[in-house]
Amino acid sequence: MTLSFRSKLVASHVALVLVAGGIALFSLDRALAADLARQLDQRLEDQGKGAIEWAEGGKRHPDRITTRIANIVEAEVTLFEKDGTVIGASSPEARGDLGPEVAAARAGSVGRATRARGGRELHYVAVPGAEGTVLRLAQPLSEVNETVAAMRRRLLVASTLAMLVAVVLAILASRVASRPIQEMTTTATRLARGDFEAPIPEGDRDEFGVLWRALKSLASQLKARIGELVEERDRLQRLMTIRRDFVANVSHELRTPVTSIQGYAETLLRDDTPPETRAQFIEVIHRQAQRMGALVEQLLALSELEARGRDDLARESVSVLSIARHVAETVAGHAEARSVTVDVDGVDASAVVFADPEGVERVLLNLVDNAVNYGKDGGKVTVRATAESGRGREGVAIEVVDDGDGIAAQHLPRIFERFYRVDAGRSRQHGGAGLGLAIVKHLVESMDGAIEVESELGVGTRFVVTLPAPRRPSETTPL
Ligand code: ADP
């Protein structure tokens, strides 16, 4: 059986009171009995000594004198001759009752003895007289025993009452003593259930206060640790999902060209394919292989970007105009095919950024290429660059604007995600896998820049890349 802390406390209090009360009762009882017996003995001796001379004088009427003494001292009186013979007694039973007390008195000292006679216990005291006569007084001990018994009853009643009071006090004390423990148990149970909002008091300056404070610090540490673990778990789950999606997307992107290459190659292996069809099929195989090559190239670029740290980037002052011109030249053939004009006149010759030249070119090429791709036939792509100061540091805002179909608002927040395409069919036509803008964003951010997009359906799209300008000499911190 498991007892609660309170029951144990009450039980220990009660046991303590029981033991203490029992010992007090026992020793009091003993002391009282011994004291009463001694008082009786002393009284009998005093009375005997006081009466012996008188008894010796009245020896001629021994029975009368013994009866008179017996009446006065209220005890049984026996008078003995020097040789031990009884000469007078206040009661007939006393005559034949000879004990060691008489022998002692005859030898000259006060004799005393306690023994039973006729079912009663009696105390005898015998005193010697000057003439050798012995006077013996006897009194039953029953009186003493009765007094002791009455006292014992009173003590028992008193101690029972004391016990009851002690039990009530013990219950009250245990309630007060166990309250903090109960509160602590409730709080600890709530903490164990993960309820860290459970209020924890500061506690007093006693041991419980120390415990409360320890519990409080434990709870806050636990809360922080669990918070960290939950965050870590969520982060890992997110990473797992990203990885899983990435692998699935890559596989999906590769499957189409691989299936197509397989199909055409199988047809080509047959001897009955006419030569003009062969040439067509080889062209398709070539296009699909190019597409796969471009995808692999983009994947490599992404993984390289992820692997390298911010400090690994080669930073230098880069003229935006020269890069914009170079990009315009690169896309010229493609733009011409779609009768799109690429205008870089809006790029300020003084627009210089502090960045990785290859990175900036890659960003611009991607944006301009997209603008040509998704712009309308015969449309216009405008590249502008203006120095911009604000938000503490000077920068350059590079804009790539087209007058194409635009991007619907619900797609805008997601176009920088990997493999996200607004119109998969159209995108695929251009060989796009939805990785271009993800790479752009990654690159821009790794160069401490930012990218924003605005678009209106049927009007066009505007990408704005902000990159930091080089620090002016006065700004550079001296080494
Ligand atoms: P992709 O390689 O497929 O072009 P991107 O990451 O470069 O992938 O672009 C993601 C998607 O955003 C594209 O599939 C396209 O639908 C849309 N998009 C990008 N640029 C433009 C633009 N200038 N005008 C309209 N849509 C665009």
Side-chain angles (χ1 to χ4, degrees):
M1 184 180 66
T2 322
L3 284 176
S4 70
F5 175 71
R6 264 188 73 187
S7 320
K8 282 180 194 157
L9 212 62
V10 173
S12 74
H13 272 69
V14 171
L16 201 73
V17 172
L18 266 175
V19 171
I23 291 173
L25 213 67
F26 181 74
S27 47
L28 216 67
D29 186 75
R30 278 298 163 93
L32 191 74
D35 210 39
L36 285 175
R38 204 176 52 248
Q39 274 181 30
L40 174 71
D41 180 81
Q42 192 61 49
R43 183 169 61 84
L44 290 178
E45 185 182 334
D46 291 348
Q47 285 173 338
K49 278 179 178 165
I52 181 66
E53 220 174 302
W54 188 31
E56 276 187 328
K59 248 200 249 181
R60 269 172 292 135
H61 308 285
D63 282 332
R64 210 161 69 208
I65 193 80
T66 50
T67 311
R68 281 187 67 185
I69 295 171
N71 284 340
I72 293 165
V73 302
E74 291 179 353
E76 180 193 273
V77 179
T78 321
L79 197 59
F80 298 89
E81 199 45 275
K82 217 179 184 167
D83 55 2
T85 51
V86 178
I87 44 174
S90 61
S91 73
E93 307 90 65
R95 284 185 179 275
D97 183 8
L98 260 165
E101 73 284 358
V102 182
R106 278 175 58 211
S109 57
V110 177
R112 42 179 52 93
T114 304
R115 63 176 171 278
R117 193 185 73 202
R120 286 198 310 170
E121 217 178 3
L122 290 151
H123 186 66
Y124 301 86
V125 175
V127 289
E131 297 165 13
T133 325
V134 171
L135 178 70
R136 182 183 75 182
L137 305 185
Q139 203 166 39
L141 279 175
S142 56
E143 234 174 83
V144 171
N145 291 342
E146 269 164 30
T147 314
V148 170
M151 202 62 174
R152 207 175 277 160
R153 272 195 300 279
R154 257 180 240 149
L155 274 173
L156 260 172
V157 170
S159 49
T160 310
L161 276 175
M163 189 80 69
L164 281 175
V165 171
V167 168
V168 171
L169 284 178
I171 289 171
L172 290 177
S174 72
R175 186 174 293 174
V176 172
S178 65
R179 189 173 301 142
I181 294 181
Q182 273 171 352
E183 284 170 2
M184 242 172 238
T185 314
T186 315
T187 310
T189 314
R190 286 179 69 177
L191 286 178
R193 269 195 257 113
D195 175 11
F196 294 109
E197 301 313 317
I200 302 178
E202 267 308 314
D204 299 326
R205 300 179 67 88
D206 57 3
E207 297 86 336
F208 287 115
V210 177
L211 216 57
W212 273 125
R213 285 187 285 280
L215 204 66
K216 196 170 188 150
S217 120
L218 203 72
S220 73
Q221 283 178 33
L222 214 65
K223 187 180 173 183
R225 192 84 195 94
I226 287 179
E228 279 169 24
L229 286 175
V230 167
E231 237 172 64
E232 184 63 15
R233 187 199 59 192
D234 292 351
R235 199 180 66 83
L236 282 175
Q237 270 174 355
R238 272 199 306 277
L239 277 178
M240 292 272 285
T241 315
I242 290 173
R243 196 174 153 270
R244 207 176 42 232
D245 291 354
F246 187 74
V247 172
N249 279 320
V250 169
S251 317
H252 182 75
E253 287 304 320
L254 286 172
R255 198 168 55 192
T256 323
V258 165
T259 318
S260 144
I261 288 172
Q262 260 179 344
Y264 285 108
E266 272 165 23
T267 320
L268 282 175
L269 281 173
R270 285 206 301 267
D271 295 335
D272 56 347
T273 322
E276 63 278 11
T277 318
R278 278 177 176 268
Q280 242 180 27
F281 283 10
I282 289 171
E283 201 180 306
V284 174
I285 290 177
H286 181 239
R287 213 174 41 242
Q288 296 292 12
Q290 265 184 330
R291 197 173 145 186
M292 275 168 70
L295 177 67
V296 169
E297 201 267 328
Q298 279 186 316
L299 287 172
L300 276 174
L302 254 185
S303 79
E304 208 177 283
L305 267 176
E306 269 172 359
R308 86 175 167 203
R310 206 163 275 241
D311 299 335
D312 298 341
L313 277 175
R315 306 260 188 120
E316 55 188 72
S317 296
V318 182
S319 156
V320 181
L321 182 60
S322 70
I323 289 190
R325 280 188 182 143
H326 193 238
V327 166
E329 278 167 27
T330 313
V331 297
H334 181 203
E336 212 179 280
R338 302 205 60 212
S339 315
V340 173
T341 327
V342 179
D343 174 12
V344 294
D345 292 347
V347 179
D348 202 334
S350 63
V352 176
V353 291
F354 188 67
D356 171 31
E358 268 183 49
V360 179
E361 179 160 351
R362 186 161 200 147
V363 167
L364 265 190
L365 185 62
N366 243 300
L367 294 178
V368 174
D369 196 44
N370 272 354
V372 173
N373 269 340
Y374 303 109
K376 64 178 178 212
D377 282 338
K380 188 177 174 189
V381 174
T382 313
V383 184
R384 278 193 290 260
T386 40
E388 186 186 67
S389 66
R391 273 182 276 171
R393 175 136 190 216
E394 294 200 346
V396 174
I398 308 168
E399 290 173 60
V400 178
V401 188
D402 67 59
D403 50 6
D405 292 341
I407 306 165
Q410 78 264 26
H411 296 295
L412 280 182
R414 299 197 61 191
I415 57 166
F416 294 105
E417 285 176 19
R418 290 167 186 192
F419 297 105
Y420 190 81
R421 285 176 297 210
V422 176
D423 177 351
R426 181 148 180 218
S427 189
R428 209 171 272 130
Q429 253 178 18
H430 302 293
L435 285 174
L437 287 180
I439 295 174
V440 165
K441 189 173 165 77
H442 213 313
L443 264 171
V444 169
E445 283 175 356
S446 70
M447 292 188 287
D448 294 326
I451 182 161
E452 277 165 28
V453 59
E454 290 164 11
S455 190
E456 202 176 322
L457 282 177
V459 176
T461 308
R462 178 170 169 261
F463 283 91
V464 185
V465 173
T466 317
L467 285 171
R471 282 172 190 270
R472 273 184 255 133
S474 60
E475 271 185 89
T476 44
T477 35
L479 285 169

